Structures are given as structure tokens and as C-alpha cells.
């Protein structure tokens, strides 16, 4: 366990940080100190018996003598039998000790529930070696502790086991075991041998009358004993003459067996069977005539059982069970008409041990039901139906066990222990507003839970243990500044590893005014809390004066955080070629969880769903084994990812040049198609009908849909000049030569027209070429800039006319053969020229 000591101011400052870091830790918890403090008086090697025997209303677990409280603690014996150790306490640590060896001979065993005290002496029954069970007495010293009188010398018991011992003034009444030398049944003792004397031989002879159930009513002591008349009601004043049968309720030797003897004012109430009416309610004033039946309980669906008689002022309260109604609370004023049911109680209140107890406190009585099928319960009654209510369970779980109770400060103090093992001291005045916790008690010891409660001199005593003290005696008393933890009943602690939580800073806050505090815990820092396993974590705080504060919290390591979804997209934009949308697959998530190795991932819409065009918000949900959920949500936009088809219907347009600037080209209107977008815009670098220059021009046509997808196509526009010039040759010409050799060629020029470019015209033979008399052909060629050529020819006729005066123009004579050769040469030259002028790799026409 962890332990530390810090100053009160530093402690509260540090804890304020803890509470600030975990506000749920103090949610709904008190912020003021509990009104009672707890101190440990002494560690105990055995278990004290502070809780009464529910089956023996006259049993007594403590006795007070000379300001000191005597009680028994249980030790296991060598053979497994329980040994009762005698203890004493004055309410202080120094005054609390075992007096078994101090007062009693070795191996002397005190009987449980036999402690009784007169004003000056302690009485109890015990057995010791060489001596049977006898009545003992003590004044608190070894010398004053002895057997009052050995009724049966030797090993025979003088008194019976758990024989009643009843205080009457300075003496006690008790019964003998009915064996051995004594024949007397009822005895009296003042603690001395001479003062231990027989009172009455109720059943003469060797028979034992077994007197018991002693009850004082004013100066009369009633009891039940078996005499010659059977088991009947008796009375005594402590003398033989004053001991007599009250009434033979069941005449003859039959037994009326009086039970539940209870004093209410000056009247004794009890149950008995007279042989005619079944077990009924009776009362007695101590006389035969005044011992009468009050009310008969006629069976209805069962055999009525009257029990738990309790005096409340001048009224008797009791329970009736065994009928078809279940369990009923009744009251009586001693008359048949005044014997009435008060309220029907839950049937399960009597289902299990240790049972039910009615505790009168002032004008009310508290009913403590323990071990019932519906759990322990606490009721309060004033004897009326409206005033009989159940006090709400003090803790949220409702699974408390009442471990002890006692009248205290005008109400009832009681201990509850939850199913988780936490113990708390509570007090109630019978109202909801007046029911509150007084303090938290030691907890955490499975075999030493707080048990039993004794009120003494304004304080309360109980026994119990904690993780550091297996069993101890504790004192609770009023304290204005008792340290108090701000302590939740249960707390979930976030897991920080797969197997659970390594603890850190789990100490709860502390209120009050401690100057110095020592803290202990069952789970110091870095202890492991197993995942999903509730663990009772105990904290103990002790200040410099020995005041203790406890906090018992069921802490459960839980996976409180959802899985981490890493790299969650902010948004996604995807294209589709379908008007229906796109089949969408979520990106593979990167999921981490500190506890769960397997995380369930779901999708909305489902993975593989078709998302429509537009924006859809999608969600990935990760769920771990503890049910924690994290989500990753983001928008997914499905856009048109299909570009329009090409708008161009033709890829090439060829046109003839219209002039030097080119030509106008035309093509079909572009008509793009798109399976998704209803509107597609078209734009081009040139429009149909534009004027294009000579040569190749590339026209770019761009089709764009509503989503911005575009397609480009191209039209090649070729403007060419393929038309030859328009060539017009002159008419045939006749030349006259006065010489026989001929003359030089003379003719008019041809005309060449071209719309695009100027044409170059050539002749063969050229002007001035000597021509012999005869017929000559003149070849005319016109070639434009594009290499287009046109041919035409005309004839020249050279006539010899000696009469013409042409000899001066001719410097020589030209023969026919020579002129013919010149003509062929001109044709060859023209052919060569044409072959050299090409356009697009082909000879022009």
C-alpha cells in the first residue's frame, strides 16, 4: 500500500488539481465534513460480539460495570470450536484490553450472551477444567472473580448452557441445570457463596422446570417454567414465598407455553395456548383473575404466528405471520376492540436470517429487517398505518446489509455495508430529511467488515477491519472538523493499456481541517486495474490526532474513449462517366485503439454504394469492444468526369484560293455530344467562313461541358492555288523574207491572266530567233507563282519573197534544216522548264 505525509494546505492544494482534472470524481458528493470522526482504539486478535442474537430477545452481548464495558470476542479453538475471550474497554486505547487471562483461570470459557451487571458486580456463566458450567461473578479484579457457588461439585454442570441470568437489584436470578445434588430450579445470587441460595423448587423431584423468559413489570418478575401443571406463567419477587404460579392457562398437565413475554407499562403481554383457542394474545397484571386472553387469532389460510412483541408507550406492537396476508404489523391497547392490524409488510422481510428486530426509540419504533429476500430494510412506525413507512435506502445501489444498530441521539444509528464491501455509519430520526451519513467506517477487509454497534457515553463502538488492520475496535464520536473524503461510490477509470489501467492520481479530495495527513491506499500509483473488473479501492487518511477518514470506491477500468480514426479525409472529389453516379469505396481507415485489438467499422452509406452526382456526406463509424464509438464524416463530391465527344465532323477542308489573300473555307457546324451534361459550349480558333491564307491553317475546336471537361479537335484548312493562268496566244503570223535563208522571228506577245499571282510568260522560239522560210510553231508558256503552267502555240510562216527588201535585216542566210533544228531545241527547253516547276510533288497541268 502507498503511504505519504503532507501538510493539510499542500494536500488540499494538490487535490484541487486532481478534482479539477476529473470533475466527475466529486459529482453529487458532499462538500462538508461528516459530523463524526473515527479512531482506532486497539487491534483485535479476535472478533468482538456486538450484535445481539435475534432469536433470543433477552440475550445481552455487553455489560457495563464501573464505567467500563465488558464484551466477548470470538477465537477459533484448536478443535474448531469457538472460544470466547473476555474484553473490557473504557472507550480509550489504553483502557481497552483482554482480561481473559487477567481475571479467569486458564481454559475457562465464558458462555456467549451471558454477561450481566448489577450496580457493583459482573455476572456470567462459564465452564472450566475440573468444574462444570457454573455461575461466575467479578468486581473487575482477579481476586474478586470467582464462581458464586458450585451447585454441582465436580464436572457436572450446575447451570445449563445459555441458561437465563436476570438482574434483580444487587442480585441475579438464574436456573440450575437440574442434575446432580440440587433439586431446586430457581436460584438467586448476590455474588457471594452464602448469598447464592435456592428460591423455589418449582417442579419437585429430579425434573427441571427450566425457568426462563424473565421480564420485570414494576416490582414483579414474570417468567415461564414447567411445573406439575405443565409449562405455564409464573411470578416471583426473589423469595420462595413470593414465587408462585400466576394461572394454569391450560388446565391439567398440558402446556400453554407462554411466549413473547413483554412489559407494557404495568401490564404483561404474552401469547399462550389454552387448548381451545389456539395461540392467542394474553395479558396479566400478576393475578390469576387478571390473566386473561385479549384477542383470539382465528386461522385464515394458515396458522397465525405472533412474535416480536415490542412496547411503544402504552401500546404493544407485534408482528403476525403465517397467514394468507403475509406479514402484518399489529397493535393493541389491551382490549379486544383495540387489537388491530396496522400495516401489511413485505412477505420477504422474514425470508432469511438473522431476522427482524423492533427497536423502540421514544414515540416511535424502528423495524430492522435483515436477510430478507428483497435485501435488508429499515422501517419506522408510530403505531399508525400512515406513520408506518420504509426509510429509503441510503445508497444508490440498494444492496446494503445492516451490520449493526442501536438507539442513539433520539433516533437509530445503524451500519450499512454495500455489496462492494464499503461500510458507513448512518443515523435516522425516522424521516427522510433526518436520515444522513455520520461517517465512513473502515472497509476493505473481507473477513473483518464492521459488525455490531454499541452506544456508550455519547460515542459509538464497533468492530471491523481495513486492508492494514484485519480487525480492530473503533470509536466514533461527534467532531466539528473530522476529515472526510469526497468519495464517490463508484468510478470508471479510463483504460490506458489493453489489460486495463495503470493507476495515477486516484486519491480523492479531502475536506475538513487536517494539519497533517498520512494517506494510505490499496492501489498506489502504477497499480493495475484490470479491464472491466470492478475493484474496491480503499483510501485511508489519518491526521495528527488519530482521526481517520475512509473512502471505499468501486473503480472499474473501462475503455472510455472511442477508437482513433487517423487521416480522415477533409473532403473528396471524384469524377464519373456515368449519369447514375459513381460506385464509391471508402479509403482504408487507419484506426488505433488502446484497448480493443479488433474494431468494428461500419459505413453510411454502405461501402460500394453508388453515390449520385453532386455532394454526399459519408460517415465511417468505428466501434470498439466496450461500445465506444468514433466517427469520421466528410463530403464526397461526384462530378462529371466524362468529356464531351469531339465536335469536328471533318478533319480537313481543302479550298481553292480566291485571290492573293487566300480563300474562305467552310465546314459543317460542330455538334459535340455528352452523356452527362445537358449543355456543352463550343469555341474555335477560327469560324466557318473565315478567310484563310494560302497554305495550311490548323483550326482548333474546343468543346466544354458544365463541369469544365473539354475536348479539342482539329480541322486542317488547306488553301491552294491549283489553277493555271489564263493564257491567250496571238493569231498565226506570216513573215516575209527577201533572202532565201529566212528572217528573224517577230510576233505579238501572248496575254496571261491569273487571279492569285502574276504569271511569267516564255516563248519558244523567242523573238529574234532566225527562222528559215517555212512553217514554224511558236510555243508559249505561262507559269504562275504556284507553278501552275498554261501552254498555247501559234504558227509563224516565213515566206521567201525576193522582192521584199529584207536582206538588210539578215546578216546571213538561214537554211531550212537549220531553222528546223532551232525549233526542236525550243520545245525541249520548254519541257525541261515545266518539269522543274512542281507543286505538292506533282507536275502542274
Amino acid at each position: 500500500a502507498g503511504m505519504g505525509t503532507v501538510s493539510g494546505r499542500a494536500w488540499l492544494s494538490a487535490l484541487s488539481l486532481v478534482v479539477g482534472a476529473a470533475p466527475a470524481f466529486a459529482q453529487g458528493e458532499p462538500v462538508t465534513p461528516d459530523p463524526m470522526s473515527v479512531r482506532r482504539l486497539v487491534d483485535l486478535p479476535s472478533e468482538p460480539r456486538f450484535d445481539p442474537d435475534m432469536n433470543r430477545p433477552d440475550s445481552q452481548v455487553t455489560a457495563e460495570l464501573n464505567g467500563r464495558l465488558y464484551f466477548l470476542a470470538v477465537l477459533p479453538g484448536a478443535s474448531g470450536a469457538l472460544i470466547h475471550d473476555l474484553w473490557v474497554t473504557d472507550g480509550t486505547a489504553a483502557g481497552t484490553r483482554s482480561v481473559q487471562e487477567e481475571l479467569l483461570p486458564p481454559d475457562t470459557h465464558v458462555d456467549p450472551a451471558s454477561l450481566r451487571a448489577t450496580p457493583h458486580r459482573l455476572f456470567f456463566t462459564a465452564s472450566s477444567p475440573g468444574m462444570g458450567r457454573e455461575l461466575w461473578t467479578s468486581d473487575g479484579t482477579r481476586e474478586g472473580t470467582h464462581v458464586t457457588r458450585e451447585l454441582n461439585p465436580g464436572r457436572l454442570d450446575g447451570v445449563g448452557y445459555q441458561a437465563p441470568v436476570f438482574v434483580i437489584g444487587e442480585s441475579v436470578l438464574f436456573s440450575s441445570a437440574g442434575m446432580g445434588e440440587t433439586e431446586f430450579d430457581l436460584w438467586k445470587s448476590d455474588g457471594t457463596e452464602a448469598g447464592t441460595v435456592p428460591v423455589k423448587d418449582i417442579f419437585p423431584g429430579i425434573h427441571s422446570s427450566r425457568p426462563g423468559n424473565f421480564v420485570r413489570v414494576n416490582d414483579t418478575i414474570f417468567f415461564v417454567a414447567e411445573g406439575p401443571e405443565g409449562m405455564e406463567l409464573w411470578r416471583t419477587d426473589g423469595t420462595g414465598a413470593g414465587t408462585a404460579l400466576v394461572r394454569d392457562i391450560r388446565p391439567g398437565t398440558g402446556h400453554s407455553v407462554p411466549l413473547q413475554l413483554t412489559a407494557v407499562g404495568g401490564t404483561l403481554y404474552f401469547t399462550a395456548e389454552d387448548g381451545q383457542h389456539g395461540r392467542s394474545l394474553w395479558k396479566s397484571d400478576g393475578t390469576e383473575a387478571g390473566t386473561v386472553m385479549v384477542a383470539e387469532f382465528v386461522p385464515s389460510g394458515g396458522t397465525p404466528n405472533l412474535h416480536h412483541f415490542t412496547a411503544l408507550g402504552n401500546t404493544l406492537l407485534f408482528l403476525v405471520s403465517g397467514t394468507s396476508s403475509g406479514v402484518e404489523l399489529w397493535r393493541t391497547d389491551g382490549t379486544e376492540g383495540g387489537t388491530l392490524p396496522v400495516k401489511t409488510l413485505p412477505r420477504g422481510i422474514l425470508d432469511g436470517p438473522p431476522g427482524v428486530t423492533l427497536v423502540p426509540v421514544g414515540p416511535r419504533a424502528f423495524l430492522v429487517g435483515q436477510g430478507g429476500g428483497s435485501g435488508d430494510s429499515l422501517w419506522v412506525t408510530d403505531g399508525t398505518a400512515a406513520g408506518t413507512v420504509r426509510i429509503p435506502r441510503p445508497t444508490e445501489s440498494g444492496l446494503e446489509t445492516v451490520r449493526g444498530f442501536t438507539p442513539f441521539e433520539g433516533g437509530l444509528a445503524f451500519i450499512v455495508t454495500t455489496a462492494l464491501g464499503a461500510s458507513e455509519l448512518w443515523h435516522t430520526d425516522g424521516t427522510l430529511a433526518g436520515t444522513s451519513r455520520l461517517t465512513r467506517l473502515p472497509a476493505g477487509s473481507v473477513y473483518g467488515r464492521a459488525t455490531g454497534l454499541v452506544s456508550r457515553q455519547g460515542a459509538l463502538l464497533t468492530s471491523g477491519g481495513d486492508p492494514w488492520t484485519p480487525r480492530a475496535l473503533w470509536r466514533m464520536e461527534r467532531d466539528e472538523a473530522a476529515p472526510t473524503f469526497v468519495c464517490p461510490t463508484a468510478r470508471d477509470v479510463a483504460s490506458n493499456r489493453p489489460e486495463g489501467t495503470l493507476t495515477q492520481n486516484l486519491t480523492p479530495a479531502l475536506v475538513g481541517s487536517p494539519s497533517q495527513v498520512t494517506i494510505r491506499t490499496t492501489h498506489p500509483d502504477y497499480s493495475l486495474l484490470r479491464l472491466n473488473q470492478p475493484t474496491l479501492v480503499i483510501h485511508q487518511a489519518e491526521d495528527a490526532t488519530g482521526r481517520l477518514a475512509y473512502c471505499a470506491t468501486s473503480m472499474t477500468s473501462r475503455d472510455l474513449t472511442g477508437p482513433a480514426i487517423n487521416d480522415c479525409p477533409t473532403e473528396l472529389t471524384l469524377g464519373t462517366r456515368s449519369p447514375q453516379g459513381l460506385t464509391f469505396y471508402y479509403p482504408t481507415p487507419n484506426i488505433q485503439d488502446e484497448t480493443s485489438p479488433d474494431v468494428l467499422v461500419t459505413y453510411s452509406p454502405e461501402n460500394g454504394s453508388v453515390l449520385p452526382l453532386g455532394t454526399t456526406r459519408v460517415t465511417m463509424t468505428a466501434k470498439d469492444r466496450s461500445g465506444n464509438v468514433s466517427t469520421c464524416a466528410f463530403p464526397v463530391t461526384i462530378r462529371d468526369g466524362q468529356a464531351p465527344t469531339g465536335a469536328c465532323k471533318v478533319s480537313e477542308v481543302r479550298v481553292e484560293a480566291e485571290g492573293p489573300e487566300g480563300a474562305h473555307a467552310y465546314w459543317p457546324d460542330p455538334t459535340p455530344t455528352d452523356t452527362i451534361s445537358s449543355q456543352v459550349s463550343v469555341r474555335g480558333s477560327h469560324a466557318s467562313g473565315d478567310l484563310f491564307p494560302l497554305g495550311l491553317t490548323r483550326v482548333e475546336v474546343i468543346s466544354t461541358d458544365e463541369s469544365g471537361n473539354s475536348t479539342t479537335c482539329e480541322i486542317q484548312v488547306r488553301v491552294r492555288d491549283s489553277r493555271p493562268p489564263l493564257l491567250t496566244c496571238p493569231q498565226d503570223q506570216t513573215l516575209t523574207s527577201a533572202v532565201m535563208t529566212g528572217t528573224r522571228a517577230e510576233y505579238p506577245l501572248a496575254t496571261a491572266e491569273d487571279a492569285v499571282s502574276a504569271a511569267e510568260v516564255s516563248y519558244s522560239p523567242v523573238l529574234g530567233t532566225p527562222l528559215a522560210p517555212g512553217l514554224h510553231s511558236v510555243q508559249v508558256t505561262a507559269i504562275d507563282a504556284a507553278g501552275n503552267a498554261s501552254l498555247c502555240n501559234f504558227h509563224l510562216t516565213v515566206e521567201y519573197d525576193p522582192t521584199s527588201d529584207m536582206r538588210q535585216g539578215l546578216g546571213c542566210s538561214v537554211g531550212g534544216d537549220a531553222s528546223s533544228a532551232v525549233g526542236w531545241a525550243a520545245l525541249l527547253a520548254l519541257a525541261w522548264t515545266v518539269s522543274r516547276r512542281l507543286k505538292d510533288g506533282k507536275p502542274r497541268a
Side-chain angles (χ1 to χ4, degrees), residues 1-27:
M3 179 185 298
T5 303
V6 295
S7 69
R9 182 171 298 176
W11 166 248
L12 292 174
S13 176
L15 282 176
S16 67
L17 296 178
V18 175
V19 175
F25 192 65
Q27 183 176 0

Side-chain angles (χ1 to χ4, degrees), residues 112-133:
S114 67
L115 297 176
R116 301 291 185 275
T118 64
H120 298 97
R121 301 200 65 83
L122 180 70
F123 289 88
F124 54 90
T125 59
S127 58
S128 58
M131 184 184 299
R133 180 172 285 104

Side-chain angles (χ1 to χ4, degrees), residues 257-289:
V257 190
L259 298 174
Q260 305 291 331
L261 277 65
T262 303
V264 181
T267 303
L268 174 73
Y269 288 90
F270 60 97
T271 66
E273 295 185 20
D274 62 1
Q276 298 180 7
H277 303 91
R279 183 156 294 275
S280 303
L281 177 64
W282 287 69
K283 69 177 181 179
S284 175
D285 60 1
T287 66
E288 182 178 7

